[in-house]
Amino acid sequence: QAESIKQNEWQRLAGRLQQHQVSPEIQAEIQQSLDRVINKLLHAPLRSLREEVATDQHATLLSALKRLFNLRD
């Protein structure tokens, strides 16, 4: 989902950048910045999930994920 959101935002922004004649090099740097922001935002939660999976707390983890993402059984 993060990748999809990033791509949608990039498409919206890319059109505006072209209107303002922003160079392809600068556009590439902006796109790399978007990638870095997404990675930084997701790093800690994903690390926590990996650590939790390594323990015997699977039921607690599953419950938290269901609440976090509003999932049903």
Side-chain angles (χ1 to χ4, degrees), residues 8-42:
N8 289 338
E9 286 301 311
W10 173 249
Q11 288 174 357
R12 184 188 65 79
L13 181 59
R16 296 176 119 190
L17 293 174
Q18 289 174 355
Q19 288 175 349
H20 294 286
Q21 300 177 344
V22 174
S23 72
E25 293 82 12
I26 298 297
Q27 289 185 38
E29 181 62 35
I30 292 169
Q31 193 165 25
Q32 288 175 352
S33 292
L34 285 173
D35 289 339
R36 286 190 298 268
V37 168
I38 295 295
N39 289 339
K40 287 177 182 182
L41 288 171
L42 293 177

Side-chain angles (χ1 to χ4, degrees), residues 26 47 56 61:
I26 298 297
R47 185 185 67 228
D56 290 334
L61 176 61

